[in-house]
Each structure stands twice: as structure tokens, then as C-alpha cells.
Amino acid sequence: MSSGAKIANYAKNQFVFQENTEALAYFQILTGRVKIVSQKKPRREFIHHMSNQGDCLGELFLFLKHQYSVSAIAMEDCRIFILQKSEFDLMLKDNPAILRDLYESIAESLHYTYLMRGLTLENPAEKTINLLRYLKVSNDSTNPDEVFLTRQEIASLTGLRVETVIRTIKQLENEGLLVITKGKIFY
């Protein structure tokens, strides 16, 4: 805020930024959840990442001369800090220690990207288990075993169809690799 950030409110399903637009600001989630998606076909999206409170959005594009290649969409009502690119650049210049946190965030995003790209060679059960394993390690909630994703979100994150995810989750439950209680997945 001392660098000039403003707080904006976004309603569920509202774009924070859109694919093929110029990156003009730094975004950081104050409250809510945002998904980073590609929408290549109508009604079919691929979720690259789901961001939560404290996460930054699209920061990589502030260092590139490219437009956003993805969109950020609020998954629920959100409050988001917005810092214009020129003020963001000044903040980094005046506070080089912030760069370390930014590097860690970008490195975590790259790690996730590498992990998810590796999923393309795996069968549905392996894709699902690797996603759940990653989520468990990076989960900061009070119940680290609960998977806070819908079957549709798991499908969008893994590139599988919802029907395949439903069958795969049932198969994994039968194998004793996860538990389903009242429709919720625990891994």
C-alpha cells in the first residue's frame, strides 16, 4: 500500500486479467481464490494454477514483452491488491529483498508447471495421485488431508474429462489410496 497499491473487488467469475492483453499491473490476492486458465475452445478450459490468499498473479508477464498468454478468473468474490507496473518497478528497485520472495513465487510456479507437464505421459490414476500429492505438500489448511477441489477442477488441472476423474477417484478409493466421505475427497 505504501508503494501506491489499490484494493479492487472482483465478483465470482470476473476476469482479473485476460489472455492477449498487456500486463500493466502487479496483482496479489488479499482474500479469495483465482484460477489461471487457458480457454482455447468455448466451454472448455485448462486450469494452469489455482491461487489463494497471499499469492501473486501474472507477475511473470511484468518482466516480459509479451501479452498475457493466460487469463485470471475469480473463483469466488475476491479482494486483490493492484500495483501499477511503474510503481511495481520502483518498489523492486527500492526494496531488493522483495525480489527474493518474487523469485521463490516464480520458482514454485515453474516447479508446478514442470510437474503438471510430466503428467501428460501418465495414466489417469497417476495424474490424479501426482496432483493430490502436490496439493497435499503445498496445502496450508488446518485439514491437510482434505482435497478442496471439485471433480471438474481436478479434470481441468489434469487435462482429463470429468467422467474419467470420477471413475479414477472411485478406483483409487477401492485401492485404498484415498477416502471419500460425504462426497469429499481425503488423501
Side-chain angles (χ1 to χ4, degrees), residues 58-110:
E59 68 283 359
L60 180 65
F61 295 95
L62 294 173
F63 298 100
L64 302 171
K65 293 181 174 133
H66 300 285
Q67 295 180 324
Y68 291 114
S69 56
V70 294
S71 296
I73 303 172
M75 297 176 67
E76 58 195 35
D77 290 348
C78 297
R79 296 186 63 201
I80 297 177
F81 290 113
I82 302 174
L83 182 63
Q84 296 305 309
K85 185 180 182 328
S86 58
E87 294 167 331
F88 174 75
D89 291 340
L90 284 173
M91 180 186 69
L92 293 180
K93 182 180 174 200
D94 294 342
N95 302 286
I98 293 174
L99 277 173
R100 173 112 175 111
D101 292 337
L102 195 55
Y103 292 152
E104 284 181 21
S105 174
I106 292 171
E108 182 63 33
S109 293
L110 283 172

Side-chain angles (χ1 to χ4, degrees), residues 94-158:
D94 294 342
N95 302 286
I98 293 174
L99 277 173
R100 173 112 175 111
D101 292 337
L102 195 55
Y103 292 152
E104 284 181 21
S105 174
I106 292 171
E108 182 63 33
S109 293
L110 283 172
H111 174 263
Y112 177 79
T113 299
Y114 296 152
L115 175 72
M116 297 324 278
R117 294 211 189 245
L119 294 181
T120 60
L121 302 173
E122 299 171 347
N123 67 47
E126 291 171 323
K127 286 182 181 188
T128 304
I129 286 294
N130 279 340
L131 174 64
L132 297 178
R133 188 177 297 130
Y134 174 82
L135 293 173
K136 186 173 186 120
V137 169
S138 61
N139 187 353
D140 292 336
S141 88
T142 55
N143 188 354
D145 294 337
E146 185 173 353
V147 177
F148 293 97
L149 298 176
T150 65
R151 273 73 167 165
Q152 176 62 61
E153 290 168 341
I154 292 170
S156 294
L157 283 164
T158 58

Side-chain angles (χ1 to χ4, degrees), residues 21-35:
T21 62
E22 190 175 347
L24 299 174
Y26 169 82
F27 300 92
Q28 187 167 353
I29 302 171
L30 181 59
T31 62
R33 295 186 320 144
V34 174
K35 60 184 175 180

